[in-house]
Amino acid sequence: MENYDQKETLLVSILIFSGIDSINNLIHALPEHLLALATDLDLKINVRIRKNNPRLSTDQLEIHLRECNTIYNTISFELLDDGQNSGFGRGHNLNFLSSPADYILILNDDLDFPSLDWINIAVARMRAQNDLALMGDISNPSSISPSFANGTFPDEYRSYSLRYAEASILLVKGAAFEAIGMFDESITWAMGEDSDLSFKAQQMGYAIDWMSIPHRHFRSTSFNSLPPYQKSSILEHNRARLFAKWGTSLETGSIGKFEIFDLYSDGLGDMLCALLHVRAEYERLPSSIHDNIIVNVGNVELGRLVLPSHAKITSIRNTDLLKDTLRPEEAISVRSIRTTNYALPFNIHPLLAGSLSVPLCDENILSKIAASFTEGLPKELEGRRYAVVHMEFARNGHHGRGPSLATMQRIMSLLHELNCDVVVVGKSDCVPIEYFDSDNNKVFDLQGKLELSSLISTVASAEYFVGIDSFPFHVAQIANVKSAVFLVQ
């Protein structure tokens, strides 16, 4: 990262939750240790302590930190309080965003150090070794169990190849922390975020290492203060997230490079809905990680319309062939929608996002996509007010479920009241154009005449949409077009 005063910076990031005694004990000796460190390494040091318990009284701590700022004027001490529990990963992310630094010393509040001399060695190693991103304590667990995705020690009977650095004491290179996307905030509250951070660092080609760090650790005073049912819920949620993100790595014992999102389907609407949430994942992740994502779809053009222009897109129907495109050790996970049962349209989005373990697409991303959808409108529709009608099933196995003549006559009578043109779309002309006869509305029959991009812009630019639960309907919803939909099963 850029450093305008040419002096490297160290951020000491601490979170407090369960009580004030532990942090008071830690902070009592910390300033003297940091002062010696700043002199030895020629560092500018910022200490950021985040209050993760709104009910905790920190008045005395604030007084002490003000005194530290006066006595140790070369070190900055600050207590941050957002009035909520930010969780472990997000809390440290927020501390880093408030005070970006070349090095981050992540500390639990339930620690005690005789000195911080070990940081001299750790920083010297990071300065000498460009790819060294994480330095942990050698006495902490350094391996991950593939069965439970938790930290463990290998023994004479078990040897685990997946390595990680525990974040109770962790020195992190700031530039690497940014490049790998910091802690994953979808791993909530606590437990598992350091495994994910270590895996991401290795995925991006960084090294992790361990050294002897003299200290006392009073172990999980925050997490163990929770009720058992709440601890179990958090653990299961975070474990599920780790297995979704790193399933192939946990299976093979190797940290690969690529995440594969398998969105292949015969239904364009299914793929469109899934692509929205994968786009949200792109938006969430730093651009440095985008090259490690492969998206497999049944229609590449659709993928290009929704995803960033630099996205890696394949179109492989056979799942075995999809996996064969990479060596086993190159994939970290394959997340697929092929076995997801989303028969009812009102729950399709949470089901798809959940099956892919990605965030739900938000309004900001939808508005970006909707703006791009209106580009390329057919010239005959420019400047016209119209309603799009789509009443035919083009998907295999759904033929013959279109509307009757009586239904279409009723629809056309209602459209007459809207005083607008009617644009009929569809993949083929299986709904007879005679169904749309009207003396009051100009009818454009564009069935089978539009390329995918033109179909999307036609629907997205409409004032109204009338049709079945289908790909054009999902386009209309994204573009916020007033819609009436028939759920035909």
Side-chain angles (χ1 to χ4, degrees):
M1 61 182 297
E2 289 191 66
N3 205 330
Y4 296 106
D5 61 8
Q6 302 302 311
K7 179 176 282 195
E8 287 188 316
T9 53
L10 170 69
L11 166 66
V12 181
S13 180
I14 305 171
L15 310 177
I16 53 176
F17 173 79
S18 58
I20 205 67
D21 291 339
S22 294
I23 186 64
N24 283 339
N25 181 63
L26 174 61
I27 205 70
H28 177 73
L30 195 62
E32 288 293 339
H33 294 326
L34 293 176
L35 187 62
L37 196 64
T39 303
D40 293 343
L41 293 173
D42 192 26
L43 287 173
K44 179 180 178 181
I45 299 178
N46 299 314
V47 180
R48 298 295 176 259
I49 303 171
R50 181 167 297 274
K51 180 180 174 181
N52 261 357
N53 186 343
R55 292 174 294 183
L56 198 64
S57 175
T58 54
D59 294 343
Q60 292 302 312
L61 177 61
E62 291 182 65
I63 293 172
H64 181 63
L65 293 180
R66 284 197 294 270
E67 292 174 351
C68 287
N69 278 321
T70 302
I71 298 170
Y72 307 95
N73 55 18
T74 58
I75 303 172
S76 167
F77 296 84
E78 185 176 356
L79 179 67
L80 304 173
D81 183 4
D82 293 337
Q84 61 181 350
N85 184 354
S86 301
F88 186 93
R90 185 167 185 266
H92 286 298
N93 288 351
L94 290 171
N95 283 359
F96 177 74
L97 292 173
S98 73
S99 300
D102 297 283
Y103 308 98
I104 315 151
L105 177 58
I106 295 170
L107 298 178
N108 276 20
D109 63 350
D110 54 352
L111 296 167
D112 185 27
F113 294 93
S115 79
L116 293 179
D117 291 346
W118 60 272
I119 297 180
N120 291 293
I121 301 171
V123 168
R125 289 186 57 186
M126 285 187 169
R127 286 172 173 172
Q129 186 178 342
N130 289 334
D131 67 343
L132 181 55
L134 310 177
M135 180 69 77
D137 174 40
I138 201 168
S139 68
N140 287 334
S142 58
S143 297
I144 293 294
S145 162
S147 301
F148 300 101
N150 63 312
T152 188
F153 290 100
D155 56 37
E156 59 181 313
Y157 304 106
R158 297 168 297 183
S159 178
Y160 301 117
S161 58
L162 295 178
R163 311 302 302 279
Y164 92 118
E166 187 184 278
S168 59
I169 308 171
L170 186 65
L171 185 68
V172 186
K173 189 174 289 183
F177 191 60
E178 285 186 290
I180 64 180
M182 305 188 290
F183 284 110
D184 185 345
E185 295 180 10
S186 69
I187 299 176
T188 58
W189 218 92
M191 297 294 183
E193 63 289 299
D194 46 8
S195 302
D196 179 76
L197 187 76
S198 294
F199 287 177
K200 287 195 298 183
Q202 294 169 85
Q203 178 196 14
M204 296 294 291
Y206 289 105
I208 62 177
D209 207 345
W210 305 263
M211 64 180 295
S212 178
I213 299 177
H215 72 285
R216 287 190 301 169
H217 187 184
F218 303 100
R219 281 283 163 194
S220 296
T221 55
S222 296
F223 196 70
N224 284 340
S225 67
L226 296 175
Y229 70 89
Q230 193 169 0
K231 286 196 296 183
S232 297
S233 176
I234 293 169
L235 283 170
E236 287 307 311
H237 174 277
N238 292 351
R239 185 176 292 131
R241 178 69 176 138
L242 282 173
F243 272 96
K245 288 186 67 176
W246 304 97
T248 304
S249 293
L250 290 165
E251 180 183 351
T252 63
S254 174
I255 301 296
K257 182 176 181 180
F258 296 103
E259 291 182 82
I260 301 174
F261 291 97
D262 179 23
L263 314 184
Y264 202 101
S265 171
D266 290 328
L268 282 174
D270 304 341
M271 288 187 289
L272 173 60
C273 292
L275 281 164
L276 298 177
H277 309 302
V278 173
R279 170 67 181 269
E281 181 76 343
Y282 273 95
E283 298 279 341
R284 188 181 72 87
L285 296 172
S287 58
S288 54
I289 294 179
H290 291 185
D291 282 347
N292 296 355
I293 298 173
I294 297 173
V295 181
N296 185 58
V297 290
N299 187 294
V300 173
E301 183 183 1
L302 179 61
R304 295 283 176 220
L305 288 169
V306 177
L307 298 178
S309 59
H310 57 272
K312 293 181 177 179
I313 300 176
T314 60
S315 185
I316 302 172
R317 176 183 287 273
N318 185 288
T319 53
D320 292 331
L321 290 178
L322 173 62
K323 294 176 182 177
D324 287 344
T325 60
L326 298 172
R327 296 191 303 273
E329 67 272 13
E330 288 183 315
I332 65 171
S333 65
V334 179
R335 310 185 215 175
S336 180
I337 66 170
R338 297 197 195 214
T339 59
T340 305
N341 182 6
Y342 42 86
L344 297 176
F346 55 77
N347 65 356
I348 185 173
H349 290 284
L351 279 174
L352 289 171
S355 65
L356 295 169
S357 192
V358 295
L360 281 164
C361 185
D362 61 24
E363 291 295 331
N364 181 49
I365 298 171
L366 280 177
S367 64
K368 291 180 185 178
I369 296 171
S372 68
F373 276 4
T374 58
E375 299 172 2
L377 183 68
K379 290 190 178 298
E380 61 265 38
L381 300 180
E382 290 180 357
R384 308 191 75 98
R385 290 181 63 251
Y386 62 88
V388 166
V389 178
H390 176 249
M391 299 297 292
E392 59 91 15
F393 284 92
R395 188 171 175 179
N396 290 336
H398 290 70
H399 299 302
R401 300 187 188 180
S404 66
L405 175 59
T407 299
M408 284 311 308
Q409 287 174 337
R410 176 61 176 154
I411 290 172
M412 291 303 292
S413 68
L414 294 173
L415 288 175
H416 168 59
E417 298 176 11
L418 297 177
N419 191 30
C420 63
D421 300 330
V422 175
V423 178
V424 186
V425 301
K427 190 174 181 181
S428 62
D429 58 357
C430 70
V431 180
I433 192 60
E434 292 78 15
Y435 282 19
F436 300 95
D437 282 347
S438 172
D439 296 329
N440 304 303
N441 305 79
K442 182 175 178 59
V443 178
F444 294 84
D445 180 15
L446 300 184
Q447 293 179 103
K449 299 174 184 177
L450 297 174
E451 298 293 332
L452 181 63
S453 59
S454 298
L455 170 63
I456 289 173
S457 62
T458 297
V459 175
S461 302
E463 191 156 336
Y464 306 100
F465 173 86
V466 179
I468 57 172
D469 172 32
S470 61
F471 171 70
F473 164 64
H474 291 299
V475 173
Q477 292 299 285
I478 293 168
N480 204 25
V481 176
K482 298 181 183 71
S483 302
V485 61
F486 296 83
L487 303 180
V488 184
Q489 296 296 320

